[in-house]
Amino acid sequence: MSPGVRLRTLTEVVDHLGTSRKTGIIDGTEIRVRRPAAGRKDRDKFISGKSKQNAVKTMVLTDADGRMLFCSPTRPGNCADITHARQLGLVKLLADGPALEILADAGYQGLGAQTGGRAVTPPHRKFKKNAPDWYEEMHERQRKARTPHDASGSSTALRT
C-alpha cells in the first residue's frame, strides 16, 4: 500500500486488493467483555459458542504482509465468523468485485462457493473424497502457486 493511502470502507479495501493484485487474509477475533447486567434483554447474545465466555467479535482483513486494512465494528459473541462477513456485505463485494484471493480459516467455509472461489478456506471434511470439480481445480491452482522452485527447476513441497 502506498504511503498516504487511506482505506475507509470494506469496499475500498476489496477494490485496493483487486487493483494491486494482492492476496488478503481475513479472520474473526473475540474480545472478552464483562457480562451485561442481570435483566438486560440481550444478555445471552454475548456468550460465545466457541469460548463459552462473554465476548464481542470483530473481523479483521489484512494484506499478505500483515498490514491491517480493515477492522469491522464489533458484534455480539454469538455471531459466527461467516455470518459477520455476510452482514458486512463481503460476499457480495467478492462475488461482484474485482478478481482477487482472500485466505480464510475454517470459520468461513462456504464463502468460497458463494464468491466463485475468491475466498479460499481449508478443505471441508465432507470433501475429503469426491470433491466437486471447482474445488479440486481451486486447490490445485493454489498448491502450484505456493510450491517453491529450487535452482534446478524442480519443485519441492512445502511442509506445514
Side-chain angles (χ1 to χ4, degrees):
M1 192 163 74
S2 304
V5 174
R6 289 201 179 250
L7 306 172
R8 299 184 193 282
T9 65
L10 189 55
T11 304
E12 291 174 356
V13 170
V14 170
D15 289 341
H16 168 72
L17 289 171
T19 56
S20 63
R21 305 189 59 78
K22 290 193 174 190
T23 299
I25 302 169
I26 190 171
D27 199 8
T29 185
E30 290 185 350
I31 302 154
R32 287 185 60 189
V33 295
R34 291 183 64 187
R35 186 169 187 180
R40 188 169 165 190
K41 65 180 173 108
D42 58 352
R43 183 176 180 166
D44 292 338
K45 281 175 129 180
F46 292 90
I47 299 175
S48 165
K50 182 178 179 181
S51 64
K52 308 286 190 252
Q53 296 176 351
N54 293 288
V56 292
K57 282 188 175 183
T58 190
M59 184 181 77
V60 177
L61 191 115
T62 67
D63 63 12
D65 296 325
R67 288 185 290 255
M68 186 166 55
L69 303 176
F70 179 78
C71 183
S72 74
T74 59
R75 302 277 305 151
N78 69 351
C79 182
D81 289 348
I82 192 167
T83 303
H84 195 178
R86 287 178 183 140
Q87 290 172 347
L88 290 169
L90 183 63
V91 174
K92 184 164 177 43
L93 289 172
L94 292 177
D96 300 340
L100 67 123
E101 183 179 70
I102 302 279
L103 303 179
D105 65 8
Y108 296 93
Q109 282 182 339
L111 206 59
Q114 296 171 349
T115 61
R118 290 184 172 137
V120 181
T121 58
H124 194 279
R125 279 184 251 137
K126 71 179 181 181
F127 289 156
K128 283 188 178 176
K129 294 181 181 176
N130 304 321
D133 291 338
W134 66 266
Y135 193 80
E136 291 291 337
E137 291 167 10
M138 179 180 63
H139 279 282
E140 185 64 19
R141 272 195 326 269
Q142 292 167 0
R143 188 185 65 77
K144 287 181 179 177
R146 293 195 183 104
T147 304
H149 296 279
D150 62 15
S152 65
S154 65
S155 62
T156 56
L158 289 174
R159 291 189 179 145
T160 55

